[in-house]
Amino acid sequence: MNRAPVGIFDSGLGGLTVVRSVVARLPHDDIVYVGDTARVPYGPKSPRTVRRYSHEILAWLLARGVKAVVVACNTSTAHALESLQEASSVPVLGVVDPGARAAAQATRTGRIGVIGTVGTIGSGAYERALRCYRPDAVIQQRACPLFVPLAEEGWFDHPATELVAREYLAPWLTGGIDTLVLGCTHYPLLKPLLGRILGPDIALIDSAEETAISLASLLANRGLEGPADRVPSHRFAVTDEVARFREVGARFVGAPLDSVDLVALTDTE
């Protein structure tokens, strides 16, 4: 079982930051990544639809013999994680809880900020998770929708991105929080810029990195890590726009994506 791949999925490109963190933490494990680029974004869709899409991807990944599944989509985590865990024969992790747990541990004052997409902030998933670990926390949330297209454009440190970031982060530039959760998997690409704007007194919690840490711990506890002599291979599958995924995805992963396939999620063969 330890030679089986790890499955990771997202509605599109953002989950590739989770892939990057997982590769760093688990250098001997294969990864199978699914980006549902034909139906992105999930945020505006109903919880029922998000659950249906998520279960289709889970079935596709299980048919490929994965040993664990990471739901690298905040919307899917918010609406479908529990039902995915109930339906799965292997462990299923989401991206919300690891980030919330890390933020609760990092905060000195209990004043925590969360940024994410409109859908993620609207779902209240991070607030619920944070209150499980820090019931007395003062939580401030802001939707930052323009960060996603800016990240996909590769404008990680562009003056336009800094202008937008300063507008979004304005309420916290003079205090108010000591910890900020990057509640979208696109946002770690902007972490150096956000850190420079906010300064060293605000801890930035990278949900992608925290999820990779949780996954590595889970696999280690169950004896499912890849063998140390294994040279891994990674497969990327999308439901549309292979060329764009390959081009933009390379920026997210930090390396060329050599194997990108167009797939139909209803095909589990």
Side-chain angles (χ1 to χ4, degrees), residues 46-122:
S46 70
R48 180 179 179 181
T49 296
V50 171
R51 283 192 291 271
R52 176 164 61 85
Y53 291 173
S54 301
H55 279 268
E56 288 173 0
I57 299 174
L58 175 66
W60 192 92
L61 287 169
L62 292 176
R64 277 139 192 88
V66 299
K67 61 186 174 186
V69 173
V70 176
V71 184
C73 172
N74 282 275
T75 303
S76 287
T77 298
H79 296 313
L81 181 62
E82 185 175 345
S83 66
L84 292 170
Q85 290 171 332
E86 291 172 354
S88 179
S89 56
V90 302
V92 179
L93 291 75
V95 288
V96 171
D97 189 76
R101 183 173 61 247
Q105 293 170 347
T107 184
R108 305 179 306 277
T109 65
R111 303 183 69 85
I112 301 169
V114 181
I115 56 175
T117 65
V118 173
T120 296
I121 297 302

Side-chain angles (χ1 to χ4, degrees), residues 19-44:
V19 170
R20 186 171 186 165
S21 293
V22 169
V23 167
R25 290 276 170 181
L26 298 167
H28 306 296
D29 278 287
D30 294 348
I31 292 171
V32 179
Y33 178 89
V34 178
D36 193 5
T37 47
R39 301 185 292 198
V40 67
Y42 281 9

Side-chain angles (χ1 to χ4, degrees), residues 49-238:
T49 296
V50 171
R51 283 192 291 271
R52 176 164 61 85
Y53 291 173
S54 301
H55 279 268
E56 288 173 0
I57 299 174
L58 175 66
W60 192 92
L61 287 169
L62 292 176
R64 277 139 192 88
V66 299
K67 61 186 174 186
V69 173
V70 176
V71 184
C73 172
N74 282 275
T75 303
S76 287
T77 298
H79 296 313
L81 181 62
E82 185 175 345
S83 66
L84 292 170
Q85 290 171 332
E86 291 172 354
S88 179
S89 56
V90 302
V92 179
L93 291 75
V95 288
V96 171
D97 189 76
R101 183 173 61 247
Q105 293 170 347
T107 184
R108 305 179 306 277
T109 65
R111 303 183 69 85
I112 301 169
V114 181
I115 56 175
T117 65
V118 173
T120 296
I121 297 302
S123 75
Y126 275 98
E127 181 167 7
R128 289 192 299 273
L130 282 164
R131 295 212 180 280
C132 289
Y133 294 106
R134 187 73 186 257
D136 63 335
V138 176
I139 301 167
Q140 301 176 41
Q141 301 187 83
R142 291 214 73 184
C144 304
L146 291 178
F147 282 166
V148 169
L150 288 166
E152 293 193 0
E153 192 65 29
W155 289 10
F156 308 144
D157 201 20
H158 193 281
T161 308
E162 179 166 355
L163 186 66
V164 170
R166 288 189 177 277
E167 182 68 24
Y168 281 148
L169 303 176
W172 299 321
L173 295 182
T174 55
I177 61 171
D178 70 0
T179 304
L180 179 65
V181 180
L182 309 184
C184 171
T185 48
H186 282 72
Y187 295 0
L189 297 166
L190 307 178
K191 188 175 178 180
L193 172 66
L194 301 180
R196 189 173 74 244
I197 292 172
L198 290 168
D201 293 334
I202 296 180
L204 298 184
I205 304 300
D206 180 342
S207 292
E209 173 63 18
E210 297 301 329
T211 300
I213 292 170
S214 293
L215 174 65
S217 176
L218 182 148
L219 295 183
N221 290 339
R222 300 192 181 202
L224 295 177
E225 305 143 291
D229 61 349
R230 184 174 182 80
V231 178
S233 63
H234 307 312
R235 178 188 178 188
F236 300 90
V238 295

